[in-house]
């Protein structure tokens, strides 16, 4: 159940992490979006699961270690506007900011849902990279 959430989130970050970007406009940078999204995801996980559940799923014993692990594994420190999207898609700072906010607002019932798809629960996360004119 949690593995599916993590995989869904990794897909979101993967979309932000590869390819070529464009103008991010005003707002949150790709690096900050990645870091904030990972931190907010860990916050929700540690608020919604027991320590025993998290341990059984291979998560660290505390939230700070989760944040560090996810930010490092997703390469947040290397995120730039130039490498945040693939193909003709362009990074949208406003959608990235909204994505982070939507992750923060996830209810435990959503986080604990074994069928959770992050881009459905937090739809802006699926729109961080947009195709101009699309």
């Amino acid at each position: 159940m949690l593995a599916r959430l993590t995989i869904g989130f990794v897909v979101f970050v993967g979309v932000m992490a590869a390819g070529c970007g464009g103008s991010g406009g005003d707002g949150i940078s790709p690096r900050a979006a990645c870091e904030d999204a990972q931190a907010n995801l860990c916050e929700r996980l540690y608020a919604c699961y027991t320590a025993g559940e998290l341990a059984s799923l291979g998560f660290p014993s505390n939230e700070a270690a989760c944040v560090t692990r996810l930010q490092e594994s997703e390469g947040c420190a290397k995120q730039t506007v130039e490498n945040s999207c693939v193909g003709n898609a362009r990074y949208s700072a406003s959608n990235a900011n909204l994505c982070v906010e939507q992750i923060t607002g996830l209810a435990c019932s959503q986080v604990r849902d074994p069928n959770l798809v992050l881009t459905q629960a937090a739809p802006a996360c699926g729109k961080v990279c947009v195709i101009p004119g699309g």
Side-chain angles (χ1 to χ4, degrees), residues 2-129:
L2 187 57
R4 186 174 184 161
L5 166 71
T6 303
I7 290 168
F9 192 70
V10 168
V11 168
F12 152 67
V13 175
V15 167
M16 290 182 62
C20 64
S23 174
D26 294 332
I28 193 168
S29 70
R31 178 180 179 163
C34 180
E35 290 172 345
D36 290 354
Q38 299 296 340
N40 292 353
L41 178 61
C42 287
E43 185 282 324
R44 297 311 308 141
L45 293 171
Y46 283 74
C48 298
Y49 285 91
T50 68
E53 289 171 325
L54 289 165
S56 72
L57 294 165
F59 279 85
S61 62
N62 64 66
E63 186 178 327
C66 172
V67 172
T68 299
R69 181 185 290 175
L70 290 182
Q71 287 178 350
E72 287 176 356
S73 71
E74 299 309 323
C76 292
K78 297 177 183 174
Q79 293 291 309
T80 67
V81 170
E82 290 74 27
N83 70 9
S84 60
C85 297
V86 297
N88 293 329
R90 301 291 181 246
Y91 173 76
S92 169
S94 59
N95 286 348
N97 190 55
L98 185 56
C99 170
V100 170
E101 290 176 14
Q102 289 175 346
I103 291 170
T104 303
L106 291 174
C108 285
S109 60
Q110 293 173 291
V111 173
R112 293 185 65 88
D113 181 349
N115 297 311
L116 174 69
V117 176
L118 190 63
T119 55
Q120 290 175 352
C125 295
K127 299 175 183 173
V128 171
C129 293

